[in-house]
Amino acid sequence: MAFRALNRLHLNKLALNPTTIVSQPPEDNRHPLKRLFSYAKGQRRRVWMAVGASILNKIFDLAPPALIGAAVDVVVEREDSLIASLGVVDVFDQLIVLAAATVVVWGLESAFQYAHSWLWRNLAQSIQHELRLEAYGHIQELELAYFHEQSSGGLMSILNDDINQLERFLDTGANDLIKVMTTAVVVSIAFFALAPGVAWMAMLPIPFILWGSFKFQKLLAPRYAEVRERVGLLNGQLANNLSGIATIKSFTTEDYEKERIAAESDAYRQANQKAIKLSSAFSPLIRMVIVVGFVATLVYGGHLVLEDALAVGTYSVLVFLTQRLLWPLTRLGQTFDQYQRAMASTNRVMNLLETPIHIDDGDRALAPADVDGALVLDDVTFAYPEREPILEGFDLDIPAGATVGIVGATGSGKTTLINLLLRFYEPQAGRITIDGADISQLQMSDLRGAIGLVSQSVFLFHGTVRENIAYGTFDATDAQVEEAARAAEADEFIRQLPDGYDTVVGERGETLSGGQRQRLSIARALLKDPPILIFDEATSAVDNETEAAIQRSLNKVTEDRTTLIIAHRLSTVRNADFIVVLDDGHIVEQGRHEALVADDGLYARLWRVQTGELEGVGETVLV
C-alpha cells in the first residue's frame, strides 16, 4: 500500500516549540498570469500551440456567415455574383463551389476544435501536476517555523483546491477568452472591409462591454480572494477536527465543533454569495448593451439595402457576423467569474512558491559510511523569536562512538539541541560540527541521512507494518526489516498481529498501542543504520518490561556509533558513557551515573525523586 505523501507535513515533537517567525513571500505586484507563466516556462510551446488552435478554430467557425452571404449573393445576383467574378459563371457550378468550400471549412473547424480541446485539457493537467509537485517540494524545503502559523488543512487547500481551480480555468476558460478576442478582431476587420458605414454601429457596444468587463474584474477580484481565504480556513478547521476526533469524543464536544464548522462553512457561503451577486449581474447588463448594436445593424443595414447602397449578400453577412460578434460576449460574465476564481487561486499558489527559505542547503557531501560521529557544539547561542536565549555560549564535546545521556528540567534546552543538530533551526551564534565539518556547509540530505531519530511523538503512516519500518530505507529486504524489528524488541508482537508484518496500521498508527508504535519507530531508525542515533524520550510510552527489553537492545545497537539519549527515566541513561545535566540552557553537571549520584547535585536529587527517596516531589520535574 502506497504511503500518503502529504503525510510528510506531520510535525512531530521537535516542531512544537512556539515561535512567531513566519516566512512571508516578498510582495509581488505582477499580474497572476505573469506569475503563473514564469513558473510554466517548460510549457510555453504547448501554450502557444493551444492558443493557435483556438484562434484558427474560431476563424473557421466565423466562415459560415460569409458562405451564407455568398450563397445569397449567388441566388440574387446569379452571373453577376462575387464568385462569378472569379471565373465560375454558371450558377449551379457556383453553388457546387460553395458546397465544397463549406465542407472544407467545417472540416478544418472540426479539426482545430479537436486540437484546441486536446491541447488545452492536457496542458491544464500538465501544469496542474507540475505546479502541485513544485509547491509540495517547496513546502518540504521550508523551515519548521513556517508551519507554526500554518494549518495543514490550509496548505492542503492550496495544494489541492486552488491548483484544481486553476486547472478548471485552463481547461475551458482560457479557450473561451481567446475565442472572444479572436471574434472581435476578425469581425471588426470584416465589417470595416465590407461596409464601413455600418461597422461603427455594430462596434458601438464594444467599448462599453470592455469597460464593464474590466470594471467587473476589479470588483470581483477581492471578493474571490476572500472566497479562497475562507475555503482555506474551512479546510484547516476540518483537518484539525479530524485529527483530534478522539479528543472531541472524549470531551463530548461534537455539537460545539459542529457549530464551529457551521460558522466557517457559512462564512465561506456568504463570501461566495457576495461574489455571485456581482458576477450574476454581468450578463444581463451586457445583453442590454449588445441588443443596441444588433438592432442598429439590423435597421440601418436594411435601410441601406432598400436604398441600393448595400448588397443583399453583404447585408446577410453583416447581420450574421453581428450576432457572432456580440452574442458570445454575453457569456463573458461566466468566463470572468471562472477567471477571477482562478486568479485568486493562482495568487495563493504563487505566494506559497515564493515564500523564502531561510535555512540554505550546504554544498558539501557527507557519506554516512565515512562518518565517525564526533559532535561538537562550540559557543552556540540560540533563542526562539521574541524570547530570551535558551542556549547561550553553549559548549559540548561528544567523542565519536560515545553514548551520552542528556537530562534536565522542562525548558532546559534538551530538545533544542536536537533541533539544532538536525538543522531544523539555525543558531544565532557559534557552530556545530560533525567530525570537524560545520553542519551548515553540509548537504541537508547527507546530514540528516547520517542521523537516526527516535522521537517521543511517533508518527506512523497509513500502510503495513513492514512499510512503516522500511520508511526511509526503501531498498531494505524483508530479512533486514525483521532483523531491525527484533533488535527493537518488536518482532514478537508484530507476529501476533492479524497479518503479521503485512498488517495495515491505521492513519497515524492509531490501531497500535503507544509502546508498540514506539518500538516500530525504534526499528525504523535501526534499519537506517546511521552513524549517529538520537533517542528523544524513546521509552516514555512503554511499560517497565518493554523498557528493559529496549534497554537490552540499546546496549547492542549503540556499539560503534554515537548515541544521544534524552531521557525522562534516568534509568534509561544509567549505563551511558557520560551524562550531561542541563539547567536553564547550561551544562551544570557532567559525568557517569555513579559519580553524579555521589556528587549530591541536581542529578542526584532527580534520581532520588524517581527512586522514591525524596518524598513530596512528583516526577514532573523532568520532561
Side-chain angles (χ1 to χ4, degrees):
M1 184 178 296
F3 286 114
R4 296 181 181 180
L6 289 181
N7 276 336
R8 297 183 184 180
L9 294 176
H10 169 69
L11 303 179
N12 59 24
K13 180 183 177 231
L14 298 179
L16 295 180
N17 297 293
T19 181
T20 56
I21 286 183
V22 181
S23 301
Q24 295 292 346
E27 185 175 351
D28 193 334
N29 294 321
R30 290 181 299 165
H31 191 277
L33 280 179
K34 289 184 178 180
R35 299 177 70 185
L36 172 62
F37 284 111
S38 68
Y39 277 91
K41 294 180 181 178
Q43 300 291 340
R44 289 184 179 179
R45 179 173 175 271
R46 295 177 66 184
V47 170
W48 287 116
M49 289 176 63
V51 170
S54 293
I55 292 173
L56 290 171
N57 168 253
K58 178 48 63 174
I59 288 175
F60 286 107
D61 180 59
L62 291 172
L67 295 174
I68 293 173
V72 172
D73 187 52
V74 168
V75 172
V76 174
E77 301 295 338
R78 298 177 179 272
E79 288 81 3
D80 296 325
S81 69
L82 178 63
I83 295 180
S85 66
L86 299 177
V88 183
V89 178
D90 184 79
V91 175
F92 183 77
D93 290 343
Q94 293 181 43
L95 294 175
I96 295 298
V97 169
L98 282 175
T102 299
V103 172
V104 171
V105 167
W106 280 55
L108 290 173
E109 191 270 337
S110 298
F112 284 113
Q113 182 176 15
Y114 171 81
H116 82 62
S117 179
W118 186 88
L119 286 166
W120 278 117
R121 290 184 178 182
N122 280 281
L123 180 66
Q125 294 300 318
S126 295
I127 290 180
Q128 172 189 235
H129 171 71
E130 293 175 4
L131 200 57
R132 179 176 288 118
L133 288 183
E134 188 167 356
Y136 176 68
H138 186 75
I139 282 177
Q140 293 192 121
E141 299 299 321
L142 293 171
E143 66 281 358
L144 291 183
Y146 172 79
F147 297 95
H148 295 155
E149 296 293 332
Q150 304 292 327
S151 71
S152 58
L155 292 174
M156 283 291 294
S157 177
I158 295 175
L159 291 173
N160 199 31
D161 193 47
D162 283 315
I163 290 178
N164 287 345
Q165 187 71 51
L166 177 61
E167 179 261 337
R168 285 190 286 270
F169 170 70
L170 290 174
D171 199 10
T172 57
N175 175 62
D176 289 342
L177 283 177
I178 291 170
K179 285 187 173 182
V180 168
M181 290 187 290
T182 302
T183 300
V185 172
V186 173
V187 172
S188 298
I189 293 173
F191 258 77
F192 283 101
L194 294 174
V198 182
W200 68 272
M201 302 190 75
M203 300 297 119
L204 185 63
I206 291 182
F208 297 98
I209 295 172
L210 294 177
W211 175 83
S213 299
F214 288 118
K215 187 69 174 178
F216 265 77
Q217 278 194 65
K218 290 182 179 180
L219 293 174
L220 278 173
R223 299 194 181 198
Y224 278 122
E226 183 183 359
V227 168
R228 302 317 311 156
E229 291 298 325
R230 287 296 180 183
V231 75
L233 292 173
L234 175 60
N235 286 342
Q237 190 64 52
L238 287 169
N240 186 67
N241 285 14
L242 291 175
S243 298
I245 191 66
T247 302
I248 292 172
K249 286 180 175 295
S250 66
F251 282 88
T252 63
T253 56
E254 291 90 343
D255 290 339
Y256 169 75
E257 291 301 338
K258 185 177 180 180
E259 290 177 2
R260 287 217 294 175
I261 294 298
E264 292 290 354
S265 182
D266 187 59
Y268 173 50
R269 180 183 65 177
Q270 290 183 22
N272 258 311
Q273 286 176 342
K274 290 179 181 178
I276 292 170
K277 181 179 180 181
L278 182 62
S279 63
S280 298
F282 181 84
S283 291
L285 292 176
I286 293 301
R287 283 174 181 267
M288 298 311 299
V289 176
I290 286 173
V291 75
V292 174
F294 185 77
V295 169
T297 304
L298 189 70
V299 174
Y300 185 65
H303 173 72
L304 292 179
V305 171
L306 295 175
E307 296 290 329
D308 293 327
L310 187 67
V312 175
T314 301
Y315 175 66
S316 301
V317 172
L318 294 181
V319 171
F320 278 112
L321 284 181
T322 302
Q323 188 269 341
R324 286 296 189 96
L325 168 65
L326 299 179
W327 209 246
L329 295 177
T330 62
R331 296 199 306 271
L332 272 181
Q334 180 180 354
T335 304
F336 277 134
D337 182 86
Q338 192 178 46
Y339 171 78
Q340 286 302 339
R341 288 177 182 267
M343 292 305 99
S345 292
T346 298
N347 273 329
R348 280 164 52 86
V349 177
M350 293 301 109
N351 286 340
L352 173 61
L353 281 168
E354 292 166 8
T355 300
I357 299 172
H358 293 301
I359 299 181
D360 297 324
D361 198 2
D363 55 9
R364 181 174 172 179
L366 179 72
D370 298 331
V371 175
D372 293 326
L375 298 173
V376 175
L377 286 85
D378 181 18
D379 197 26
V380 171
T381 296
F382 175 78
Y384 293 105
E386 300 182 5
R387 292 170 57 182
E388 294 295 321
I390 196 166
L391 298 177
E392 191 168 9
F394 187 89
D395 295 303
L396 179 61
D397 192 340
I398 302 175
T403 298
V404 182
I406 301 176
V407 300
T410 302
S412 59
K414 302 187 302 299
T415 300
T416 297
L417 289 179
I418 300 177
N419 284 334
L420 296 176
L421 285 174
L422 288 167
R423 287 199 74 200
F424 291 159
Y425 295 90
E426 295 278 63
Q428 282 83 36
R431 62 197 296 262
I432 303 173
T433 64
I434 294 181
D435 296 340
D438 193 325
I439 64 172
S440 64
Q441 298 175 1
L442 300 176
Q443 294 180 9
M444 203 84 74
S445 59
D446 288 349
L447 168 66
R448 293 171 182 169
I451 300 174
L453 173 66
V454 180
S455 174
Q456 177 183 14
S457 180
V458 178
F459 186 87
L460 298 180
F461 296 91
H462 183 80
T464 66
V465 170
R466 191 183 307 278
E467 287 174 331
N468 271 283
I469 294 176
Y471 187 78
T473 314
F474 300 110
D475 58 349
T477 64
D478 289 348
Q480 290 172 322
V481 170
E482 293 170 13
E483 181 182 353
R486 285 192 293 271
E489 301 284 341
D491 181 73
E492 183 178 351
F493 89 78
I494 292 174
R495 295 190 182 278
Q496 294 175 356
L497 295 173
D499 296 313
Y501 281 85
D502 294 321
T503 300
V504 175
V505 300
E507 191 169 298
R508 299 178 182 269
E510 295 295 341
T511 59
L512 302 177
S513 69
Q516 290 172 333
R517 292 197 299 269
Q518 192 67 266
R519 280 180 278 176
L520 291 186
S521 178
I522 293 173
R524 179 192 293 169
L526 296 182
L527 181 62
K528 185 179 179 181
D529 193 26
I532 301 171
L533 264 176
I534 299 176
F535 293 89
D536 182 16
E537 310 285 9
T539 60
S540 62
V542 299
D543 54 35
N544 291 332
E545 183 179 351
T546 304
E547 181 192 8
I550 292 175
Q551 188 64 51
R552 290 194 300 270
S553 67
L554 288 182
N555 293 334
K556 299 176 182 178
V557 301
T558 56
E559 294 177 359
D560 302 322
R561 75 178 84 224
T562 304
T563 307
L564 281 69
I565 304 175
I566 293 177
H568 172 72
R569 297 176 178 176
L570 299 187
S571 56
T572 307
V573 299
R574 184 171 184 174
N575 297 323
D577 294 327
F578 67 94
I579 299 168
V580 175
V581 184
L582 299 182
D583 185 35
D584 196 23
H586 296 87
I587 298 176
V588 294
E589 292 179 320
Q590 184 171 328
R592 292 187 62 85
H593 170 77
E594 294 79 7
L596 291 172
V597 171
D599 287 343
D600 198 26
L602 177 59
Y603 181 86
R605 177 175 178 272
L606 298 175
W607 176 256
R608 290 196 297 271
V609 168
Q610 293 198 9
T611 57
E613 296 178 20
L614 184 60
E615 297 182 358
V617 182
E619 290 190 12
T620 54
V621 176
L622 290 179
V623 292

